[in-house]
Structure formats: structure tokens, C-alpha cells
Amino acid sequence: MVERLGKGLGDSLGLSLTYSASKVVNSVEFVISDRDKEILRTLAKKVAEISARPIESEKRKLWYQHNDLEDTRPLIFCDPENGWYEIIPHDQLACKGDLARIWEFKLRKEIFWGEKMNDDRVIEPIFKVQYAFQEFNRGMQESIIGGANNGSYRWDAPLKDYSELESLHFQKIDVDDGRTDQLYNLAREIFANILKVELEGYWWWSFGLTWSLVNLRGIQQVMLDMYDHPQELHQLMAFLRDEALSLLDFLEMNNLLSLNNQGTYVGSGGFGYTHQLPQKDYDRTKVRTQDMWGFSESQETVLVSPNLFAEFIFPYQLPILERFGLNCYGCCEPIDKRWHIVSQAPRLRRVSVSAWANVRDLAEKLGKNYVFSRKPNPSDLSYPKIDEEYIRKGLRETLEAARGCHVELIMKDNHTIGRNPENVIQWCRIAREEAERIMG
């Protein structure tokens, strides 16, 4: 999951709306005024207070049991994503400095989750900061056309002809140790004796490869290539696979990875709490990929047949997934028609059951052997007033079909929540009522 700046905060910072949160942090000055520091401390104390509630320990225990495939009630998580900018508009931020406003926004989200949302997300007494780094492209980059104010866009794919394939080189990252230390130490100074500050290596969302593939070649052209240029497409997929493996080697060798077996968001929904990671021989000095959750998906190939997916996509994802201790698979694409292929992923634990999947079919296939990560349609929350009965009916049908599975209900991918923060609060209430009903 790549957290993006929405219109309000992006405009207030004068930054591109397509920047990920880590890139935004990399682009601002690491200075926070005394006034802004006091505002952040006050908010951090509230987060710490919420994190100390007994219910946080209860929720944490549920996630551990759930991910370790023990029986629990269905777990509930809601991340409004771009809807956050309708919950916390930029004109409600009190800080003045750019970095302070980013951190304030982050803390206010924690408080809203803890005080209003009433889902199963655990509020931890932790404040995470990311490495400062530069990212270098592959030698060619897509040109984005449109996209202003977080709107629709298209892109001009740069790899026009496979004769240019030799021009590609692996993406590289260059970590700025000085700026990273500056950011980390600034956070420790501000949140001292309030929240534990952790440096987090957040370098990827997915190792699906096909997002990069269609950016380079174009989604329509990729599908034509499966017939017209199969050998060249295999070469391009092999390049993207080897690039991903090279990145993992670099991060592991330079001790830039972070454990994601606790309150870290993993895959396309849910949290990483598990007693099965890290590995038993983990020595606490160096995180390896085998100590972590991995994740892959291929939403871009949703219209590709299972046979072509099995030929051109999954074989290149498989060596990457083999590096990780536990794996998640899938996002918005329906997995049911690909299950005979995806189920070959090693140590697969969490499987996405999207709004477009055959819920009953996947429930039978997953049974008690996997986490059934259900993603209701985010458009349910896009109206100024939600249709409570319609939402309740959909959740009830899911829970009935998946009775006996290890179910989590994940509301995400919201581009808007109808400019009504009550929508997410009500969705969590309905989901909790239906989860309790199915257990009753």
C-alpha cells in the first residue's frame, strides 16, 4: 500500500499529489519550530494514552491468533486512504512547517482510528520514520498525462519497441544516511518519553511486477505481446524479476530491512502480527527477507486468461515469493479463477478476496488453511449518505459464505468517502455487528 498525499495536504505543502509519503518526506526541510514541536507532543501524548487502553492488547492478541490460523471472530480494518483528506482537511492542521504538518496528519489519523473508527486496528505507542533516499529509474520512464488534483490520468509507455530492451538497467536507490539520521534524531527529540521512534525500511508495496510492466510497455500492448512477441515479453519479465531480486539482495546486505511481523500493514490488507516470524535463527542484528511477510499481485492482468497468467506472470513472481517467510497474494483482481496457479506460492498465508471475486468458491478453496482477506467494494462509502441496509446485506452474505474461514473484512481503496467522515464510522459499526452476529 502506497500512502499518497490528497488534495488538501498536497496543496498546503505545494507538492505533487502523485508523490508517495516517503518521497514527500525526502523533499522537505527537516526543521520543526518550537511551536510545532509542542503541538506534535500534545498529539503524541494522546496517541500514547489511547495505546495504553486494555482493548489495544485484546486486538493485538486477536491479530496474532488470526494470522497464525487460530479461530477468532472476523477481524475488521478500515483505511479510508484518500478519504483521510476529507476526515482531516488541511485547514484543520495546526502546524505551520511542511514536515510538522506531515507528522501532525499522521498522528491525527491514529487518534481518529482510536477514538472514532472502532475497527480492530491496534494503536501502538510507536512513531515510525522512513529512510531518506533517492530513487533512480531504469533508463526510461513513462510520461504521465493528466492526473491534476488527484484526477484520472493516462501515460505514454516508453518501451516502444523491444529492440530498446537493452537500454534498460536495474532501478537503484541511494540512501542518504545523514538525512536519515537527522530525521530519526529529530523524531526522537520531539517524542522522547512519549512514543517509541522506530526507523522503518519501507521500500516496496508489492512485488507483482506487472505494474512496472504496463508502465513500461502499455497495458494493451502487453496483452498483444503475449501473442505477437512472447519471447521478448518473457525477457522483459525476467528483467523485472531479476531487478526485484537484486533490490532484495541490496537491502538485505546493507541491513535496510525491517521486521513486519507486528503492527505493520502487510499485503493488500491486514496486519503482520504473527509468532511464526522471524525465523528461529534470527539473531536480532540483521533482518532477512525470510524473516518477513512478502506480497505479490497482478491486478493489471485481470483480463488475461489463467493459462497466459501461468505462462507469462506467475513464474516470474515465484522466485521472489520464495525469499519470504510468509506470503500474501492478490489485491483487486479476482483470485478464484487463478487459484490453481496462485496456490503454488510458497508459505502462502493471506489471500485477497476482492469485490469481484466469487466469494463462495474461494471460501471453499481457502477453508481453514489461509486468511480470507475480504475487500468489499469501496464505492459503498462514496456517497454523502451510505445505504446501511445494502452494506449490511453484502457483509452478511460474505460472512455466511465464509463461515468457518479465517475472515478479515478490509475496507480500503477509497478515493472519496462522500465527504462524510461518518461513513467510515458507520461502516465499522455495521461490520462489527455482522461479525458478532455470525459468531452468536
Side-chain angles (χ1 to χ4, degrees):
M1 177 184 64
V2 178
E3 180 174 286
R4 298 185 182 278
L5 286 179
K7 177 173 171 53
L9 187 59
D11 287 353
S12 73
L13 297 177
L15 297 166
S16 167
L17 304 182
T18 59
Y19 273 25
S20 71
S22 60
K23 290 180 180 178
V24 170
V25 169
N26 288 338
S27 68
V28 301
E29 188 177 1
F30 294 171
V31 175
I32 295 180
S33 69
D34 289 341
R35 172 189 175 278
D36 285 355
K37 287 179 182 178
E38 197 53 45
I39 293 170
L40 294 176
R41 287 192 190 99
T42 299
L43 294 171
K45 288 175 183 176
K46 187 63 179 177
V47 172
E49 178 185 320
I50 294 170
S51 73
R53 300 180 307 184
I55 194 173
E56 304 308 318
S57 296
E58 295 171 14
K59 291 187 291 185
R60 189 181 298 111
K61 181 180 178 181
L62 278 173
W63 280 107
Y64 274 113
Q65 293 172 327
H66 174 69
N67 287 327
D68 291 344
L69 302 183
E70 299 176 24
D71 289 336
T72 69
R73 65 165 172 79
L75 297 189
I76 300 159
F77 170 55
C78 176
D79 184 351
E81 298 198 8
N82 281 347
W84 279 115
Y85 307 105
E86 298 168 17
I87 296 170
I88 309 169
H90 75 282
D91 58 5
Q92 289 185 12
L93 298 178
C95 289
K96 301 297 184 184
D98 289 349
L99 178 60
R101 288 170 71 81
I102 293 171
W103 284 3
E104 178 188 357
F105 187 77
K106 184 175 180 178
L107 292 168
R108 289 191 184 277
K109 285 170 62 176
E110 296 293 318
I111 294 168
F112 187 90
W113 254 311
E115 291 187 336
K116 303 289 187 181
M117 199 90 80
N118 198 29
D119 64 358
D120 290 315
R121 184 180 183 278
V122 182
I123 307 302
E124 298 283 8
I126 296 170
F127 189 87
K128 295 183 178 182
V129 295
Q130 283 73 44
Y131 288 84
F133 66 96
Q134 282 187 305
E135 200 170 29
F136 300 95
N137 67 35
R138 301 180 177 93
M140 55 181 70
Q141 186 79 23
E142 69 276 6
S143 299
I144 302 298
I145 302 162
N149 297 325
N150 228 19
S152 62
Y153 69 92
R154 59 186 177 89
W155 69 97
D156 181 30
L159 186 60
K160 305 296 186 187
D161 191 280
Y162 276 114
S163 64
E164 302 171 341
L165 194 56
E166 292 184 358
S167 301
L168 288 176
H169 52 75
F170 291 169
Q171 278 188 320
K172 301 287 185 181
I173 58 173
D174 182 21
V175 178
D176 189 327
D177 293 328
R179 279 177 64 81
T180 298
D181 289 344
Q182 184 185 355
L183 186 67
Y184 177 68
N185 290 331
L186 179 59
R188 291 187 65 190
E189 173 205 333
I190 293 172
F191 302 120
N193 303 316
I194 305 173
L195 298 176
K196 180 183 178 182
V197 176
E198 292 184 352
L199 188 60
E200 179 182 46
Y202 189 82
W203 308 102
W204 67 83
W205 171 65
S206 162
F207 280 112
L209 307 182
T210 51
W211 188 347
S212 296
L213 173 68
V214 301
N215 281 341
L216 284 169
R217 188 68 174 146
I219 191 164
Q220 180 174 311
Q221 189 60 53
V222 165
M223 289 188 278
L224 293 172
D225 287 348
M226 292 179 179
Y227 290 94
D228 296 339
H229 301 286
Q231 191 58 44
E232 292 88 346
L233 180 56
H234 277 297
Q235 289 178 321
L236 180 52
M237 287 301 295
F239 169 86
L240 293 173
R241 174 203 62 204
D242 293 345
E243 177 187 62
L245 292 171
S246 175
L247 172 63
L248 292 176
D249 288 340
F250 171 80
L251 296 173
E252 197 170 272
M253 185 182 306
N254 290 279
N255 204 18
L256 294 169
L257 296 173
S258 302
L259 291 176
N260 57 2
N261 65 323
Q262 295 183 357
T264 304
Y265 182 97
V266 295
S268 62
F271 293 91
Y273 299 99
T274 177
H275 294 113
Q276 297 176 20
L277 295 173
Q279 302 297 329
K280 292 181 179 179
D281 63 348
Y282 171 62
D283 65 4
R284 296 181 180 274
T285 62
K286 187 174 185 180
V287 178
R288 305 158 300 181
T289 52
Q290 68 198 67
D291 298 313
M292 302 177 65
W293 287 87
F295 173 50
S296 193
E297 43 69 47
S298 188
Q299 302 170 88
E300 296 79 14
T301 61
V302 67
L303 296 178
V304 170
S305 74
N307 286 342
L308 290 176
F309 171 78
E311 178 181 353
F312 289 101
I313 309 302
F314 191 71
Y316 298 98
Q317 298 174 336
L318 192 56
I320 303 169
L321 294 173
E322 286 173 344
R323 296 279 297 262
F324 292 91
L326 289 173
N327 280 303
C328 313
Y329 199 97
C331 192
C332 288
E333 75 272 36
I335 297 296
D336 44 290
K337 291 181 174 59
R338 297 178 174 180
W339 177 243
H340 61 292
I341 304 161
V342 169
S343 60
Q344 300 172 42
R347 297 169 296 282
L348 181 60
R349 179 60 53 87
R350 174 174 271 107
V351 177
S352 179
V353 183
S354 79
W356 299 274
N358 184 322
V359 174
R360 193 168 298 278
D361 182 39
L362 266 181
E364 293 176 359
K365 288 170 176 172
L366 300 184
K368 286 186 171 294
N369 297 318
Y370 306 89
V371 171
F372 183 100
S373 187
R374 174 60 168 166
K375 317 292 172 43
N377 197 320
S379 65
D380 291 351
L381 303 188
S382 65
Y383 305 94
K385 181 176 175 57
I386 62 173
D387 186 336
E388 179 170 332
E389 290 309 309
Y390 176 80
I391 290 172
R392 187 180 300 277
K393 180 176 181 290
L395 292 174
R396 184 169 296 186
E397 289 174 352
T398 290
L399 293 172
E400 290 288 357
R403 188 187 289 268
C405 297
H406 302 289
V407 178
E408 58 189 28
L409 300 173
I410 310 291
M411 175 55 71
K412 60 185 290 291
D413 295 316
N414 303 93
H415 291 286
T416 178
I417 54 169
R419 299 192 177 277
N420 183 3
E422 286 296 318
N423 283 355
V424 296
I425 298 171
Q426 290 185 48
W427 184 87
C428 289
R429 174 183 56 78
I430 297 167
R432 183 169 295 278
E433 289 171 356
E434 291 303 310
E436 291 172 353
R437 185 197 63 81
I438 201 74
M439 295 298 292

